[in-house]
Amino acid sequence: MENMCKNYVIAIDGEAGTGKSTLAKNIAKKYKIVYMDTGAMYRCVTLNMIWDNVSLDEIDKINNILDNIKIDMENIDGEDKFYLNGVDVTKQIREKQVNDLVSQVSHIPVVREKMVNLQRKLARGKNIVMEGRDIGTNVFPGAQVKIYLTASAEERAKRRYEQNKEKGIDISYEEILKNVIFRDENDKSSSVAPLKKADDAFELDTTNYTLEEVENIVVGKIREKVDLDA
Ligand code: DC
């Protein structure tokens, strides 16, 4: 085992709706390590742009938002809360107007640069499970563990629909499927940080696995690299 004493990063990347969040959260909770949802950070930037009526090509205004943005995360009774400039936006960042825009916002180079720097800073000195798209390829290319999750678009849309329903967010399955396919295309074809598996990541197609099965497989992989019980 490489990492008995040093801090470690577990990078969990993959397409939208593959169960990354639930997996990362469960692992963090069970093994008492810090969890970071990097997608939520891009969602916060997107919401800030919507609040300030800033469009995708207004780079000066985007820079101004990035200079002043404050993103805080907190776990209350097992639920992750996000605060944007002091306002609880946990629900708002999952709503349609943010969903429709977030992929494009996440491809603006200055936005990525700021978020990646922030992610590296927040992870310093911690054992952390960080969930996103480019964690294993770009944010922490030296991460001790890299997991890359996939699943069919239909299965992913179904999962997100059910997740939303539980949270009281009302978006139709068809709408979500359209959004999943659109975001996949946008995320994979982008010239800025395209979504792709790191060469040394462990890839798992989760379409036919339950969350519990995925967790068991992934925890087994993690245990090959770091001591989760230390
Ligand atoms: O995981 P999510 O659906 O909450 O992510 C929202 C968007 O942010 C999605 O379009 C991908 C993008 N994202 C990214 O570009 N890099 C990350 N590390 C995390 C998310």
Side-chain angles (χ1 to χ4, degrees):
M1 217 167 285
E2 296 158 20
N3 238 79
M4 300 301 282
C5 327
K6 227 174 67 190
N7 290 119
Y8 58 79
V9 173
I10 300 168
I12 301 187
D13 291 306
E15 299 159 334
T18 46
K20 285 177 301 184
S21 301
T22 313
L23 173 69
K25 262 186 243 175
N26 286 351
I27 290 172
K29 199 168 159 198
K30 237 179 231 171
Y31 301 101
K32 298 195 171 41
I33 46 187
V34 177
Y35 162 62
M36 195 185 292
D37 172 359
T38 61
M41 296 167 79
Y42 289 96
R43 287 172 179 273
C44 284
V45 176
T46 306
L47 185 60
N48 204 337
M49 285 171 61
I50 292 168
W51 280 352
D52 294 0
N53 243 320
V54 172
S55 57
L56 292 161
D57 56 356
E58 291 182 296
I59 294 299
D60 287 347
K61 289 188 183 169
I62 293 172
N63 268 318
N64 188 43
I65 285 178
L66 293 171
D67 286 343
N68 295 296
I69 200 163
K70 202 169 159 283
I71 300 172
D72 294 301
M73 297 159 234
E74 191 182 22
N75 188 285
I76 298 176
D77 298 331
E79 202 207 333
D80 288 293
K81 296 223 163 240
F82 291 89
Y83 299 87
L84 171 58
N85 303 331
V87 179
D88 181 351
V89 293
T90 312
K91 218 173 146 184
Q92 279 182 70
I93 58 170
R94 309 284 166 196
E95 285 174 355
K96 182 171 165 20
Q97 51 173 359
V98 173
N99 285 347
D100 288 348
L101 205 62
V102 64
S103 177
Q104 292 167 79
V105 171
S106 75
H107 290 130
I108 301 170
V110 287
V111 172
R112 289 214 83 78
E113 194 185 330
K114 171 85 181 192
M115 291 303 108
V116 169
N117 285 339
L118 195 58
Q119 287 152 19
R120 289 182 182 145
K121 200 168 122 196
L122 290 170
R124 215 169 283 154
K126 298 184 181 96
N127 291 332
I128 191 161
V129 51
M130 196 179 277
E131 173 232 326
R133 305 304 172 97
D134 61 339
I135 311 305
T137 51
N138 183 38
V139 184
F140 285 105
Q144 287 78 358
V145 188
K146 297 183 186 178
I147 308 291
Y148 188 83
L149 300 184
T150 63
S152 71
E154 290 73 16
E155 176 65 21
R156 288 182 286 132
K158 192 177 125 218
R159 290 175 188 173
R160 186 138 288 186
Y161 174 75
E162 275 156 16
Q163 242 174 31
N164 282 349
K165 216 163 65 180
E166 265 171 37
K167 289 178 186 157
I169 300 168
D170 183 26
I171 311 177
S172 73
Y173 167 80
E174 289 72 22
E175 186 77 44
I176 294 172
L177 180 60
K178 234 168 50 193
N179 185 264
V180 163
I181 293 168
F182 169 76
R183 278 209 281 156
D184 273 359
E185 276 165 18
N186 210 1
D187 290 348
K188 285 176 184 163
S189 65
S190 166
S191 57
V192 182
L195 172 66
K196 68 174 172 60
K197 174 187 158 311
D199 291 339
D200 52 348
F202 168 69
E203 181 170 351
L204 184 63
D205 180 347
T206 68
T207 307
N208 298 311
Y209 287 126
T210 64
L211 278 172
E212 203 185 343
E213 286 165 335
V214 171
E215 191 179 315
N216 286 338
I217 297 169
V218 168
V219 167
K221 275 284 152 193
I222 296 172
R223 285 193 188 283
E224 289 174 11
K225 303 278 184 184
V226 300
D227 185 359
L228 280 173
D229 307 306

